[in-house]
Amino acid sequence: MSKLIHTVLGSRAGYGLTVLRIFVGIIFAAHGSQKLFGWFGGGGLAGTAQWMESIGLAPGMLMAVLAGGTEFLGGLALIIGLLARPAALGLSFTLLVAIFSVHISNGLFMANNGYEFALALLGGTVAVLIEGAGKLSIDRALAD
C-alpha cells in the first residue's frame, strides 16, 4: 500500500478515539442537517444562506452549502470512520471560521454565545486529525 494512503488511513489509536470520533461525528452530522435540510429545527439552505450573509460570509448560499456539506458529510465520515483525517481537517477549518466569525467576541462561555462548544469540538477534530480514526474504523481496516 502506498505511503500516502497508509498515512491518511492508518491509526495507532485505540477504542477511546473511536468513541470520541463517533460522538463528535453525530454532533456534526446533526448540525449539518440543520443547515442543509432544515432538520432538527434548522433553517435549511435558504435560512442558513441568509444568516451567513448577515454576518458577512458571502455569497451566503455558497457558504451555507460549504459549511452544511462539510458538517453533514464530515460528520458521517467520522461516524463510520472512513476518510476520517480529511473529514477532521475540513471540520477543523469550519470550526475556526465559526469561532472567529461568530463566537470569539462573546468570550468563552456558551451562555453568552461564546466559543466554548466550538473549542471542545475543535479538540475532538484535531485529535482525529493527529491520531486517525481509531481501532474500530473503515480507515484502519483499509490501512492494515
Side-chain angles (χ1 to χ4, degrees):
M1 178 178 299
S2 82
K3 183 169 173 51
L4 175 63
I5 291 173
H6 188 66
T7 300
V8 172
L9 300 181
S11 177
R12 296 180 317 272
Y15 295 109
L17 214 310
T18 299
V19 171
L20 177 68
R21 168 180 56 79
I22 291 169
F23 283 118
V24 169
I26 290 168
I27 292 168
F28 274 112
H31 277 267
S33 70
Q34 288 179 310
K35 289 176 178 69
L36 293 176
F37 313 120
W39 297 351
F40 309 112
L45 272 177
T48 303
Q50 183 179 19
W51 179 77
M52 293 270 191
E53 288 271 353
S54 76
I55 63 166
L57 296 175
M61 186 57 75
L62 176 61
M63 296 297 120
V65 169
L66 288 173
T70 301
E71 289 179 6
F72 184 71
L73 296 174
L76 293 179
L78 290 185
I79 291 167
I80 65 173
L82 178 61
L83 298 173
R85 279 192 171 108
L89 179 63
L91 292 167
S92 295
F93 180 76
T94 301
L95 285 165
L96 289 171
V97 171
I99 288 169
F100 289 106
S101 64
V102 178
H103 301 291
I104 197 79
S105 63
N106 299 317
L108 175 65
F109 298 105
M110 285 177 54
N112 300 322
N113 197 29
Y115 57 92
E116 174 181 24
F117 184 59
L119 188 64
L121 289 175
L122 182 60
T125 59
V126 170
V128 172
L129 187 58
I130 293 168
E131 295 295 328
K135 198 171 244 355
L136 297 176
S137 67
I138 296 173
D139 284 354
R140 185 163 178 156
L142 292 172
D144 288 342

